[in-house]
Structure formats: C-alpha cells, structure tokens
Amino acid sequence: DAGITQSPRHKVTETGTPVTLRCHQTENHRYMYWYRQDPGHGLRLIHYSYGVKDTDKGEVSDGYSVSRSKTEDFLLTLESATSSQTSVYFCAIRRLAGETDTQYFGPGTRLTVL
Amino acid sequence: KNEVEQSPQNLTAQEGEFITINCSYSVGISALHWLQQHPGGGIVSLFMLSSGKKKHGRLIATINIQEKHSSLHITASHPRDSAVYICAASGGGADGLTFGKGTHLIIQP
C-alpha cells in the first residue's frame, strides 16, 4: 500500500465551511496527487505535487488549493465547501523504479457537503 | 488533453468465462495503467504497460501503441474478480493520470 494514509476517512460538513484533507506517506516519494471520484465522471485530477512547495493544477482545480510543506504530507483544502464538492477523494503517490512507473492510492476520504 | 474511453461500461458474465475489457485513448502516451476497485474499497494498480503484453496470474494486459488501444483479459473468471476495472493514461510528465470511466464487472457463480 506504499504507506499512504488519508485523514479524515469520512467527513460531513456544511456549505461554506473550510475543509482540509490530509494525505500522509511514509516512503519519501516525490510525486503526490489528489483525485476525486464521482459517478459518471470517474477519477479526475485536482492538483499534484512534484516536490516540497512545488504544486500544480489538474483538470478540476477550481475551488481547491493544496500545500506541501514537507515531503510526507500533501494537504487539500476546500476554502468554502460547496455541494458540488461532495465526492470521494483519493490521494496517490507515484513510485518510479527503473522502467516501472506505478501510482499507489490511499484508502480515500468520503466528503459530504450539505 | 487525452480522452480515455473504456468499453463495455457494464459486464455480467458466468464464472469461468473469458473476459475482455477494452480501452482506447486519443493522444500518444508514455504508459497505460490498469486499476481495480472493489465495491467500497480502495484502488489497486494491476498493470503498467508501455508496450506489448504483461501477465499476472489469470490477468493479461496488452497494448497496441499504433492503434492507441489496450485490453485487459481475465481467464477462468471467478466471482472474486467482480470489481470496477479502470484504465488510465500517463503522459510521462509529473502530471497525473487521465482515467476512463471504468468497467463494472460482475461474475456470477
């Protein structure tokens, strides 16, 4: 499982409140990713990081911000949650080893915005 | 932007049948990934392909770079193979994967 944990695993919040999701890895991988998974859309990239303090936007970044102040933690923040952000959020790390390029996913966070 | 299409969206088969799931993509890639997700479960990487064919147990994945097409095959299918199978394309840079919408597979005993 590449030592990836996500917290919280479940959260219910109200529209307009800020929410921060945490992804923690124990193997010092350089690349980390936040995806959301929705019925009918599948998995989509929100933001990614290619090193400490190095981040960039993905396909569905509006309404989200990220921070990576140390290698092991990648935080996803919803500044003001909306109902459209109700989703399951997955963090992933990318393991590069020789010709192998594999992403390993965390267990997911189910977020409900009321 | 790469478009990744999977077919079929849903597939129900009997135990023991040979299963094929298809994936096509619109733009050249560095690698094609196959992932598995059980109901309520996490996402597990099955294969990463840049060319040819890979086999792991009863699972076989192939890719045709010229045709921009990949297939995932399951031989001697079993109810425990019931899951969503997702293909995803990697462009090779630091940015993440582009996913198909998944194939929901049910294997009936």
Side-chain angles (χ1 to χ4, degrees), chain A residues 56-105:
Chain A
D56 208 344
K57 296 178 179 180
E59 179 187 358
V60 290
S61 60
D62 286 350
Y64 301 95
S65 62
V66 290
S67 65
R68 193 166 178 203
S69 59
K70 45 187 178 177
T71 301
E72 58 264 38
D73 289 325
F74 191 30
L75 304 180
L76 177 71
T77 297
L78 291 66
E79 301 289 348
S80 178
T82 67
S83 58
S84 65
Q85 293 175 313
T86 293
S87 187
V88 181
Y89 292 85
F90 288 95
C91 171
I93 61 91
R94 183 181 181 190
R95 179 183 284 167
L96 293 167
E99 294 183 351
T100 300
D101 181 357
T102 304
Q103 290 203 13
Y104 293 88
F105 291 79

Side-chain angles (χ1 to χ4, degrees), chain A residues 16 31 37 45 62 74:
Chain A
Y31 300 98
Q37 185 177 38
L45 178 67
D62 286 350
F74 191 30

Side-chain angles (χ1 to χ4, degrees), chain A residues 17-36:
Chain A
T17 60
V19 177
T20 295
L21 308 183
R22 179 182 184 235
C23 177
H24 179 78
Q25 56 138 333
T26 59
E27 297 184 356
N28 289 322
H29 295 287
R30 178 182 176 190
Y31 300 98
M32 298 183 76
Y33 303 86
W34 277 108
Y35 298 99
R36 61 178 288 175

Side-chain angles (χ1 to χ4, degrees), chain A residues 31 33 35 37 40-45 48-50 59 90 94 99-107 110, chain B residues 1 30-31 33 35 37 40-45 48 54 86 90 92-101:
Chain A
Y31 300 98
Y33 303 86
Y35 298 99
Q37 185 177 38
H41 291 281
L43 286 150
R44 293 177 291 174
L45 178 67
Y48 63 97
S49 171
Y50 46 97
E59 179 187 358
F90 288 95
R94 183 181 181 190
E99 294 183 351
T100 300
D101 181 357
T102 304
Q103 290 203 13
Y104 293 88
F105 291 79
R110 184 174 295 275
Chain B
K1 178 180 179 293
S30 66
H33 302 252
L35 310 167
Q37 184 175 29
I43 300 167
V44 175
S45 178
M48 188 278 298
K54 286 189 177 179
I86 304 167
S90 172
D95 56 341
L97 302 175
T98 302
F99 299 85
K101 293 183 180 179

